[in-house]
Amino acid sequence: ADTSLTLALGGFSYGVSPLEMAGAYASFAAGGEYATPYFVRCITDSDGNAVYTKEDDRLRVMSEENAFILTSMLQSAISEGTGRRLGELGLGLAGKTGTVGEGEGNRDAWMAAYSPQYSACVWMGYDSSNDGALPGEATGGSYPALMLSRLYSYIYPSVQDAPAFNVPEGIIEVKLDSYTLKEQHMSVLANAFTPSDSTIKEYFALGTEPDASTSYWSVPSAVHGFGVSLSPEGIPVVKFNASESNAVYILYRSKDGGQEEAVKKWNGGSGAVRYEDEGLAPGTYTYHVVPVHA
């Protein structure tokens, strides 16, 4: 039995066949039920009587909810990952590519893909690097994906022909804050202030969805410790605390009640700020600070 760490990435001593791989991915399409791949469904005699019928050996290997979540993840692998060539069909397929490099070339190039109705797998390669190597451009996302693209475009001539994966009960769709996900690698909910281009929709099994909302997209609080004084030389000195890291602090100034102008900006998180407003003509000046989201 294989016990090495590479097992998690498909590193087997003896490996699997494309047929076995297609059967494994078919269990995701079937809502978590696995059935042994077969070629003969039924045999009848000359009178039409069935002398052999394939037994139903379906076995639940994962919950329907987990199968759907994995499918959703593998749809992303095709729409924006290494299987993009297959994703160009726009059929909502799910799948995964794999490439094994050995020596100076690639020994194996895989891709498995499935719809709610059909699962398929393509392998190109050699049993051993002693037998040869694939061209450098032959990866799972190139030639195997191209072959599967032609297969599924034949099965589904138009997008309308391809069925969508059904969302099972017990699955919830939520909006996540993509900024926090990218910068902090944390899954938190978007809030009312999150811009639409900074949200991402993801599925979760009910009860496993995040319960915390993003703290990044929020209205900055008013500044603390704000004050203006005159230095011994008669220069206005503005002081305040720029504490919130998600804010940019803008200092505005007006003269003799006239139009305001932005004087200076500070990035949040810089702490205590002291600014001497030098070079002013005589007059009465008014200052205020506005914190805005970064």
Side-chain angles (χ1 to χ4, degrees):
D2 291 289
T3 58
S4 65
L5 294 177
T6 57
L7 180 63
L9 297 175
F12 299 96
S13 296
Y14 299 102
V16 294
S17 70
L19 176 64
E20 291 171 316
M21 190 67 75
Y25 276 86
S27 62
F28 299 147
E33 291 186 334
Y34 174 77
T36 305
Y38 59 92
F39 294 97
V40 178
R41 180 184 302 170
C42 181
I43 299 174
T44 61
D45 60 20
S46 58
D47 296 323
N49 300 312
V51 297
Y52 168 81
T53 301
K54 172 69 172 64
E55 292 184 3
D56 185 357
D57 63 350
R58 286 178 295 179
L59 174 67
R60 178 158 296 282
V61 292
M62 70 186 76
S63 69
E64 190 176 8
E65 294 82 4
N66 284 346
F68 178 81
I69 289 175
L70 282 168
T71 292
S72 177
M73 295 170 61
L74 295 177
Q75 284 180 299
S76 298
I78 284 184
S79 63
E80 56 194 66
T82 54
R84 288 189 298 273
R85 181 168 295 185
L86 188 56
E88 293 172 358
L89 298 176
L91 299 176
L93 302 170
K96 185 72 178 70
T97 65
T99 306
V100 178
E102 189 172 282
E104 297 181 356
N106 294 327
R107 192 189 71 189
D108 300 285
W110 290 84
M111 185 168 188
Y114 60 95
S115 72
Q117 297 173 312
Y118 298 98
S119 174
C121 179
V122 170
W123 169 74
M124 297 179 177
Y126 295 88
D127 288 334
S128 170
S129 59
N130 295 328
D131 300 328
L134 295 170
E137 69 272 15
T139 65
S142 61
Y143 299 136
L146 180 60
M147 292 186 68
L148 286 172
S149 175
R150 293 185 176 181
L151 171 65
Y152 279 103
S153 63
Y154 173 79
I155 295 174
Y156 303 118
S158 68
V159 174
Q160 290 73 24
D161 296 325
F165 291 98
N166 293 323
V167 182
E169 293 184 10
I171 291 292
I172 185 173
E173 185 182 50
V174 301
K175 285 185 178 181
L176 300 181
D177 174 33
S178 61
Y179 177 88
T180 306
L181 186 64
K182 178 181 178 180
E183 297 297 324
Q184 302 180 20
H185 307 292
M186 293 175 54
S187 294
V188 294
L189 300 174
N191 64 16
F193 299 105
T194 305
S196 58
D197 59 358
S198 292
T199 63
I200 181 173
K201 292 182 179 180
E202 287 291 351
Y203 291 102
F204 290 86
L206 190 62
T208 66
E209 70 275 12
D211 54 7
S213 296
T214 177
S215 60
Y216 180 75
W217 301 106
S218 59
V219 177
S221 303
V223 296
H224 298 286
F226 177 78
V228 182
S229 60
L230 291 176
S231 71
E233 296 77 21
I235 299 173
V237 179
V238 179
K239 295 181 179 179
F240 64 94
N241 196 321
S243 58
E244 294 193 28
S245 59
N246 296 338
V248 172
Y249 294 85
I250 306 174
L251 174 65
Y252 290 90
R253 177 186 65 206
S254 64
K255 179 185 178 184
D256 298 329
Q259 185 175 359
E260 294 180 335
E261 62 175 332
V263 178
K264 191 173 176 59
K265 296 180 181 180
W266 291 266
N267 291 326
S270 55
V273 170
R274 183 181 188 277
Y275 174 69
E276 294 188 10
D277 199 9
E278 300 177 336
L280 298 178
T284 301
Y285 292 90
T286 303
Y287 296 88
H288 69 275
V289 174
V290 177
V292 298
H293 196 278

